[in-house]
Amino acid sequence: MGKTLTTLDQTNKRVLMFGGKGGVGKTTSSAAAALHYALAGRRTLIISSDLTPSLSDIFETEIGATERAVPGVENLHALEIDPAEVMRRWKIKFGPEIYQAASALVDLPYDELVDYVGMAPGIQEEFMLDYILERIRDGRYDMVVWDTAPAGDTLRLLGLPGRFIEHLRVAPRIYLGVQDTLKLSQTPFLEIIASWKELSEQTKRFFSDPASVEFIMVTIPEALGVYQSRRVIGELAEHGLDVRYIIINNVIADPDCDFLRQRAEMQRPYIEMLNDEYGDSMTLLKLPLLSYEVKGVERLREVEEFLFNPLVS
Ligand SMILES: Nc1ncnc2c1ncn2[C@@H]1O[C@H](COP(=O)(O)OP(=O)(O)O)[C@@H](O)[C@H]1O
Ligand SMILES: [Mg+2]
């Protein structure tokens, strides 16, 4: 092995996913990274799928469910995923064909029927991935930075297409109460299922393709942070994604009082653990604990410095 990358600038991927436990600094680091790429002249979109709105706070501007330019930062667009908006688009995209196929089997008004199918487990997440993939593919952006929801959910998402497909095999019979397989096979419903299956497989292929996606693990030097990262890194590897970057956030750099010295002592073994385990094969970026909260472009530029011009330690 052996790492060849030293900064986040050296990634050749178009999609950067930032993942990790809640509160460890995913939004902070992904916003700093997105800002960096935008300032470097790359057309950049930052997407947050964490349902606690956060991009609006960090960029100090209202960011909504449809992508919009971040005022004052050229080349930067942002979007906060809203499940209602995702479902609205899903309905526009698939509603008519679902209705056409299913109305041969059950007699329900359009909205009721389409909404019902849309409640099937996994569909919402599935189409969120599709929605993100659409933005990645539409050619308007050079880089897409994805501030993901806390790790468990992200992993579930990556494993989801498989489970979703499994679900689809029996879905029409259960959801539409169709016992008669023959009647079902005479409707276009099976074709829809087949096309969703294809869509789902494409999405899964894309998001687990190391040629396009960089997964950046964000963690803090504490037991829960480190143990969870280890688990997530292992599970991602099973999906074919090798993590190449770890951001260790909240590192106490220059303790100047007993309290901070004790915290730094507490952190040390966890930093060593990460170094021993991953230092040879991955790039570890340390982000110091700052005395202020990270809000606004000026502050983000300071975080950007640490991520893109790290001091050699
Ligand atoms: N290195 C840091 N120093 C000081 N505060 C930080 C640092 N990193 C993150 N924060 C603050 O911690 C909080 C959580 O960070 P955030 O990026 O929102 O985490 P996540 O997106 O993983 O939940 C925010 O208020 C942020 O400003
Ligand atoms: Mg966040």
Side-chain angles (χ1 to χ4, degrees), residues 21-28 147 249-250 287-290 292-294:
K21 217 163 72 69
V24 293
K26 292 180 298 299
T27 302
T28 305
D147 170 24
N249 191 16
N250 290 354
L287 187 55
L289 178 69
L290 304 166
Y292 45 81
E293 64 177 339
V294 185

Side-chain angles (χ1 to χ4, degrees), residues 57-94:
D57 292 330
I58 203 157
F59 287 110
E60 298 180 314
T61 182
E62 192 50 38
I63 289 169
T66 52
E67 59 222 271
R68 66 190 61 177
V70 176
V73 188
E74 226 177 299
N75 301 317
L76 185 60
H77 282 72
L79 159 69
E80 284 178 340
I81 295 278
D82 170 6
E85 174 66 14
V86 172
M87 282 320 278
R88 196 182 67 78
R89 294 194 186 207
W90 174 82
K91 216 169 149 176
I92 294 170
K93 194 167 169 179
F94 294 101

